[in-house]
Amino acid sequence: MGRAWLTGIAGMLTVPLLLTGCTGSGGDERTTQRALEDGAAGEGALPPAGPAPSAAPDGAYDAAPEAAGAGRADAFAPEPDMVSTFALDVDTASYSYARRTIGAGSLPQPDTVRHEEFINSFRQDYAPPADDGFSVSTDGARVPAGGETGETGEAGEAGEADGDWSLMRVGLSTRPESNEYGTRKRRPAALTFVVDVSGSMAEPGRLSLVREALHTAVDELRDDDSLALVAFSDVARTVLPMTAVGGAEDRIHDAVEKLQPTDSTNVEAGLTRGYDEAVDGHRKGATNRVVLLSDALANTGATDAGTILDRIAAGREDYGITLFGVGVGSEYGDALMERLTNEGDGHTTYVSETAEAREVFVEDLPRNVDLRARDAKAQVVFDADAVSDYRLIGYDNRQVADEDFRNDAVDGGEVGPGHTVTALYAVRLAEGASGSVATATVRWLDPDTRAPHEESRTVDAAALTGDLWGAAPSRLQVTALAAYFADALRGGSDAGTAPEPYADGSADGKEGSTTTGGPAPLPGAPTVGELAGHAEDLADETEDPAVADLAETVRQAVELTG
């Protein structure tokens, strides 16, 4: 039954899995490395970061140990194809929308399933930094050869590939608003809510949920915050100009309650008016953000993200206004919303019920309206003597040229307080590998001064050799579980199931493909029965409601495929 389920999904969802690794060289600018104190890690947390590799003046990593100065943890010159660089992404909409779709009795379309958004939907155990930057944590585990059944693929390649693969987790964390190091009060927020009131929003759970979310947000905002409200259907109108929240709560609630669905969806008009209001109400020293609440089913005006964002680029670039997308609805324009927020220097989430809306606008309000880092990027440099192959799981549309890692003119990701970002790699160690095998570095700009900062950590071969299931830290197992589930929904192959080839029959080994011309399976993929079993075990072990929801979603997906 396990193989039949994944094979069924692979047949029903025809877009193949793509596991990517970036290529190129390092950056072009030196920055001061900041080390965390040894006592920063809490009980059971992963240890803090170590020193980073140095950059040579021409931007290439310097192989000479003396170039880094005293205390350098590792020194090697990466060979071509041994560097992976991407912009950070804190989106979670893909997983939330998949849960909604599966719960409603259907499988999600494969192009709406993004591995990193499944992975980043779950709480992690990373030690937070003591300051306003990032901590970097790493760990990993060995995956079972040929999947847990030990079977090989029809072409013999899956089992051969799985024999010496491990999963490597790179975890990045920002300091929450309050923790053991004290409280850093968030800066005031100037929020422009752009609300879709088109006819499609009349469906239960769309505009009604948005109104409820807005009422919740108003109650959570501080007196020194300010708020503007724009509604759009075929045209856009300003319902409320930028208004200080203190003393105006009743007027704001009244404006929210009057929002009613009307005609077609002109996202271009809504965002253009929204950014106009955000620019007019811009506050120096505050977090200036546009919050788009919509099903993103644009059908009037410009419906392409590039065209829409071309019209609001001046406000985004000149005023630092970021975009936060909140998706709703059983039919949801996932691709448009994701591209809007990616290009609009923001992130996206998806809500389908009151509890999720409350989480976004109450529990997670600081991280969704404040910033700890701008243009954040990660780069992992592998030692070619210790690593024979690697694959970055997900982040397909967040890749950055390796030489642009330290080019601060190249856009990265925006990250708020208390956010965690996880990158999961499949790594094949070379025979006899020992010591440091990789160095993971995160680079970001201070949101106020735009000064660049970096933090790094090395990865030891010994950290990648323990068994994954039942032995590795529970949060690493949850990360692997989320990745394998996304893999199955995208049409990835089970242990023993040959991957589907690309339409043009092409293959690129570093892009996670096999010599048969199709996308490579995720090494060590469990069967469906094993996947469901791991989910149930981890739900019990972690006692985390989110992991219990994941286990239930896996069970429902099994039922949908018979």
Side-chain angles (χ1 to χ4, degrees):
M1 176 183 172
R3 205 169 299 133
W5 176 59
L6 288 179
T7 305
I9 291 181
M12 297 167 63
L13 309 180
T14 57
V15 176
L17 168 68
L18 183 64
L19 303 179
T20 59
C22 304
T23 62
S25 61
D28 57 4
E29 179 183 346
R30 293 179 184 267
T31 58
T32 301
Q33 305 302 318
R34 302 183 301 138
L36 295 176
E37 297 180 0
D38 291 342
E43 182 179 355
L46 297 176
S54 68
D58 63 358
Y61 279 92
D62 193 334
E66 60 271 17
R72 180 171 176 177
D74 186 39
F76 58 84
E79 295 184 2
D81 281 358
M82 298 309 288
V83 182
S84 169
T85 309
F86 60 94
L88 300 198
D89 188 354
V90 296
D91 293 356
T92 59
S94 176
Y95 172 68
S96 299
Y97 185 49
R99 276 191 59 220
R100 161 73 180 262
T101 303
I102 292 170
S106 300
L107 294 173
Q109 291 297 314
D111 59 357
T112 69
V113 176
R114 292 178 289 278
H115 294 82
E116 70 276 13
E117 296 187 30
F118 275 55
I119 291 168
N120 285 325
S121 293
F122 298 94
R123 182 172 61 83
Q124 297 291 355
D125 52 2
Y126 311 139
D131 53 20
D132 288 340
F134 282 90
S135 66
V136 183
S137 304
T138 59
D139 65 357
R142 192 177 184 87
V143 300
E148 293 179 66
T149 62
E151 298 177 12
T152 60
E154 291 178 9
E157 295 197 36
E160 178 184 352
D162 287 1
D164 49 5
W165 283 91
S166 298
L167 294 181
M168 183 181 84
R169 180 174 62 153
V170 177
L172 310 173
S173 178
T174 58
R175 176 183 171 182
E177 188 175 33
S178 298
N179 65 3
E180 62 268 33
Y181 304 114
T183 298
R184 181 192 183 278
K185 185 179 180 182
R186 69 168 174 85
R187 58 178 65 79
L191 306 178
T192 302
F193 289 93
V194 178
V195 182
D196 185 347
V197 294
S198 62
S200 62
M201 293 291 287
E203 175 191 292
R206 294 195 186 190
L207 187 55
S208 59
L209 181 61
V210 166
R211 282 197 301 266
E212 192 168 354
L214 286 171
H215 285 309
T216 300
V218 172
D219 291 338
E220 291 298 315
L221 292 174
R222 302 193 311 236
D223 287 350
D224 60 345
D225 294 327
S226 55
L227 178 152
L229 184 61
V230 170
F232 71 94
S233 54
D234 55 337
V235 296
R237 60 187 177 91
T238 299
V239 178
L240 189 72
M242 195 65 72
T243 303
V245 172
E249 291 89 348
D250 290 343
R251 183 154 61 99
I252 297 172
H253 281 300
D254 288 343
V256 169
E257 197 58 34
K258 292 177 181 176
L259 297 173
Q260 298 295 328
T262 55
D263 300 312
S264 53
T265 309
N266 190 336
V267 176
E268 176 194 23
L271 281 177
T272 299
R273 175 63 68 90
Y275 271 80
D276 287 345
E277 291 293 337
V279 169
D280 289 345
H282 180 269
R283 294 174 58 186
K284 189 175 182 180
T287 298
N288 294 270
R289 175 159 290 190
V290 171
V291 182
L292 174 63
L293 299 104
S294 174
D295 58 16
L297 298 175
N299 55 24
T300 300
T303 58
D304 174 74
T307 302
I308 295 171
L309 287 174
D310 282 346
R311 301 190 62 176
I312 55 153
R316 174 171 55 89
E317 295 170 0
D318 296 344
Y319 294 90
I321 298 167
T322 57
L323 178 62
F324 175 38
V326 181
V328 297
S330 58
E331 294 183 20
Y332 167 57
D334 169 80
L336 177 60
M337 183 70 88
E338 192 211 8
R339 191 171 172 213
L340 285 171
T341 53
N342 281 350
E343 296 187 22
D345 285 347
H347 65 286
T348 184
T349 190
Y350 176 88
V351 298
S352 61
E353 54 189 39
T354 301
E356 293 173 339
R358 181 171 180 80
E359 182 177 359
V360 170
F361 290 109
V362 179
E363 288 88 348
D364 292 345
L365 183 67
R367 74 177 66 177
N368 288 324
V369 302
D370 203 4
L371 283 178
R372 283 284 193 268
R374 285 187 181 273
D375 290 328
K377 306 167 196 162
Q379 184 169 84
V380 178
V381 182
F382 294 92
D383 185 345
D385 292 333
V387 175
S388 60
D389 199 4
Y390 74 89
R391 296 169 187 168
L392 171 60
I393 300 171
Y395 294 94
D396 299 338
N397 59 5
R398 302 293 286 167
Q399 297 175 37
V400 174
D402 299 325
E403 60 269 22
D404 286 333
F405 177 58
R406 292 185 174 91
N407 181 353
D408 296 328
V410 174
D411 191 38
E414 276 56 47
V415 183
H419 264 129
T420 61
V421 180
T422 299
L424 191 65
Y425 285 85
V427 176
R428 178 190 283 173
L429 295 179
E431 184 177 356
S434 63
S436 178
V437 299
T439 299
T441 303
V442 58
R443 179 182 176 87
W444 72 98
L445 304 183
D446 182 278
D448 296 322
T449 67
R450 301 299 179 104
H453 301 278
E454 292 186 10
E455 199 72 62
S456 294
R457 181 174 177 81
T458 58
V459 185
D460 194 85
L464 307 181
T465 56
D467 292 336
L468 173 62
W469 302 114
S474 60
R475 290 293 163 182
L476 173 58
Q477 294 184 60
V478 171
T479 299
L481 178 69
Y484 283 128
F485 185 42
D487 179 34
L489 293 174
R490 280 179 61 122
S493 60
D494 189 357
T497 303
E500 294 294 327
Y502 292 114
D504 61 2
S506 64
D508 180 349
K510 185 52 65 177
E511 292 296 318
S513 60
T514 69
T515 55
T516 60
L522 189 56
T527 66
V528 59
E530 293 162 346
L531 193 67
H534 291 316
E536 293 176 2
D537 291 344
L538 287 167
D540 292 338
E541 180 179 348
T542 62
E543 298 182 345
D544 184 345
V547 180
D549 287 342
L550 173 59
E552 174 63 15
T553 303
V554 173
R555 185 193 65 77
Q556 291 173 334
V558 173
E559 290 184 352
L560 287 175
T561 57

